[in-house]
Amino acid sequence: MIEKILNIIENADNWLVLTHEKPDGDTLGCAVALAHFGGRMSKRVLLGCPDQCPERYAFLQNIAPVVTMRCLPDGFPGTGGVAICIDTSNAARSVPGLLGGALECLIVNIDHHIDNEEYGLVNWVDPAASATGEMVTELLFQSRWGIDPDEATALYAAIVSDNGSFSFPSTTLKSHECAMKLLNAGASPNDIAEKLDSNLSVGALRLWGRAISRAETFARGVCALCWITLEDFEGTGTTRQDTENLVNFLLRIKGVRLAALCSEGIGWSDEREVRVSLRARAPFNARAVAGSFGGGGHDLASGCTLQLPISDALDAIRGNMEKHASARFSANQ
Ligand SMILES: [Mn+2]
């Protein structure tokens, strides 16, 4: 598979590298590394993201610029070009219109989500990878172009942001092997950790405080939930980007194995909606809950969006989590 992909991208002059919507460190780190790699191969590269690059990952833009795009650029990458979709389980999460056939080029789909819909002409999906960053690390290492320090930095950032700095159950020996290779190629774990983790605004900290002050547990203490309203974002001068990783805090409550953060947002049709981030510890399954509301993701990290007022959304999520928990309780009896 790696050779096949290297062959395709080496033969294409124009690369459109695409992240998924609401980009995280994995999709951005991989895309930036690939765009930089393409630059070294003298390719014409455009790195597109359906949403703005979050402040936390702004340092990656020094390696390759990220262009916010809501539709596809005219005539690029064109026939003979290639679109590389990174960490994106379905085409609808990519630049809108991708599925509509507006893209006449080859689509290479590189991802580690188990529910990947294999929408590309070439689909490399490895659910055993703790981050798509592991896969792109392999890809670059196996190429005759190797990997440079900037690409190593971006890929190390991709890996640590998706596997909780090697703490999630998805972490494997392979994750550490990739890290070793990236350190060898010039990545600095300390610099990257500082850039990723020590960048909260005081407003973000206050927002977290509001959310955490509402934390509740239920279903015999195995479920936890909290929420944020649009007014909270306004009152603290923050955006939804400032909620990244907040849901993981709920899993730090002793005994909690299923956690949800519900945050109000404005949808594409200018209506209020509620975006839900879910986290689980096995055998609880975050994707099962997200899936009931049309969402998806990983078993232990998932998300969905509810077109409901916040109080109704909270009831719906709470109810579903409770049902999930009682199914687990009866399975254990
Ligand atoms: Mn990922």
Side-chain angles (χ1 to χ4, degrees):
M1 183 54 88
I2 288 183
E3 247 169 56
K4 189 176 178 183
I5 292 176
L6 284 171
N7 211 4
I8 290 170
I9 61 180
E10 282 194 33
N11 283 317
D13 288 332
N14 295 346
W15 294 10
L16 179 62
V17 181
L18 295 174
T19 73
H20 61 69
E21 59 175 349
K22 298 164 199 152
D24 59 16
D26 191 21
T27 196
L28 282 166
C30 291
V32 157
L34 265 174
H36 191 274
F37 177 69
R40 281 200 294 128
M41 294 167 76
S42 307
K43 304 296 182 187
R44 285 173 58 205
V45 185
L46 192 58
L47 196 179
C49 175
D51 294 300
Q52 202 110 47
C53 175
E55 195 45 46
R56 181 171 190 228
Y57 304 114
F59 72 98
L60 293 171
Q61 297 220 61
N62 298 328
I63 298 171
V66 180
V67 180
T68 307
M69 53 172 83
R70 281 282 162 116
C71 57
L72 292 163
D74 248 0
F76 191 89
T79 16
V82 66
I84 312 171
C85 298
I86 297 297
D87 196 44
T88 308
S89 54
N90 60 65
R93 296 203 70 207
S94 189
V95 173
L98 199 56
L99 255 192
L103 214 54
E104 14 175 68
C105 66
L106 256 168
I107 297 175
V108 173
N109 165 13
I110 304 176
D111 185 29
H112 68 136
H113 292 88
I114 197 164
D115 58 352
N116 188 288
E117 290 177 2
E118 311 217 326
Y119 51 85
L121 195 76
V122 177
N123 301 286
W124 180 26
V125 181
D126 181 6
S130 74
T132 302
E134 289 185 19
M135 303 169 71
V136 177
T137 298
E138 278 308 305
L139 185 78
L140 267 53
F141 264 99
Q142 288 192 31
S143 80
R144 61 196 170 90
W145 304 82
I147 189 161
D148 83 352
D150 284 333
E151 292 151 19
T153 297
L155 288 170
Y156 187 91
I159 293 172
V160 295
S161 46
D162 240 27
N163 68 17
S165 299
F166 308 102
S167 72
F168 295 166
S170 56
T171 304
T172 62
L173 177 62
K174 176 87 181 287
S175 318
H176 287 279
E177 280 172 356
C178 286
M180 181 190 74
K181 289 179 179 173
L182 294 170
L183 261 59
N184 246 327
S188 161
N190 180 251
D191 284 353
I192 296 166
E194 184 179 336
K195 285 183 174 117
L196 286 175
D197 301 326
S198 300
N199 55 10
L200 291 181
S201 64
V202 64
L205 219 62
R206 289 180 180 140
L207 180 78
W208 285 41
R210 288 192 189 197
I212 289 167
S213 71
R214 294 179 188 132
E216 56 177 86
T217 58
F218 52 99
R220 302 186 207 171
V222 300
C223 295
L225 177 145
C226 68
W227 73 92
I228 295 171
T229 63
L230 281 180
E231 289 70 28
D232 291 326
F233 287 120
E234 269 161 38
T236 53
T238 53
T239 68
R240 191 171 172 274
Q241 291 176 3
D242 295 299
T243 65
E244 198 183 344
N245 289 327
L246 169 51
V247 61
N248 294 314
F249 233 85
L250 294 173
L251 280 185
R252 294 175 67 169
I253 304 169
K254 192 171 180 181
V256 167
R257 304 198 79 79
L258 185 60
L261 167 71
C262 301
S263 44
E264 262 191 326
I266 298 290
W268 286 47
S269 54
D270 281 344
E271 303 252 314
R272 282 193 185 208
E273 61 184 21
V274 177
R275 296 156 183 177
V276 186
S277 296
L278 290 145
R279 294 292 182 275
R281 291 191 205 283
F284 284 75
N285 191 313
R287 193 157 54 92
V289 177
S292 319
F293 300 99
H298 303 284
D299 284 349
L300 303 182
S302 249
C304 56
T305 301
L306 277 67
Q307 312 293 337
L308 289 173
I310 182 92
S311 59
D312 296 347
L314 289 171
D315 287 345
I317 290 291
R318 214 182 268 120
N320 198 287
M321 289 168 76
E322 242 157 17
K323 218 169 74 188
H324 188 75
S326 26
R328 290 258 44 106
F329 296 147
S330 35
N332 286 344
Q333 270 164 13

